[in-house]
Amino acid sequence: MIDNIIFAGGIHGAGKGTICKELSQSFKFNHLSASEVLKCGMSSFVGTISTKFVIEEHL
């Protein structure tokens, strides 16, 4: 069961990943980065489609 979900949003390069990594270490929760998930799935059909957006920095 998931108790809490925290979303961090902002422009490219704002430091979301850095802050989330620090918070996850301090408060002992899992950090899931949408861009990392997309990069891992680049070989899949959906990943192939999303590759264009990642390369063009739309995500």
Side-chain angles (χ1 to χ4, degrees):
M1 180 177 183
I2 298 174
D3 293 323
N4 295 305
I5 298 175
I6 301 169
F7 290 97
I11 62 170
H12 179 70
K16 300 173 297 292
T18 302
I19 294 297
C20 289
K21 284 180 187 177
E22 290 177 8
L23 289 172
S24 68
Q25 292 171 354
S26 296
F27 294 101
K28 308 293 185 221
F29 62 83
N30 293 322
H31 170 233
L32 180 64
S33 167
S35 63
E36 290 177 18
V37 171
L38 287 172
K39 289 174 187 174
C40 289
M42 292 292 186
S43 62
S44 70
F45 175 72
V46 174
T48 303
I49 294 169
S50 64
T51 301
K52 176 182 176 188
F53 293 101
V54 172
I55 290 171
E56 294 176 6
E57 295 184 359
H58 291 295
L59 295 176

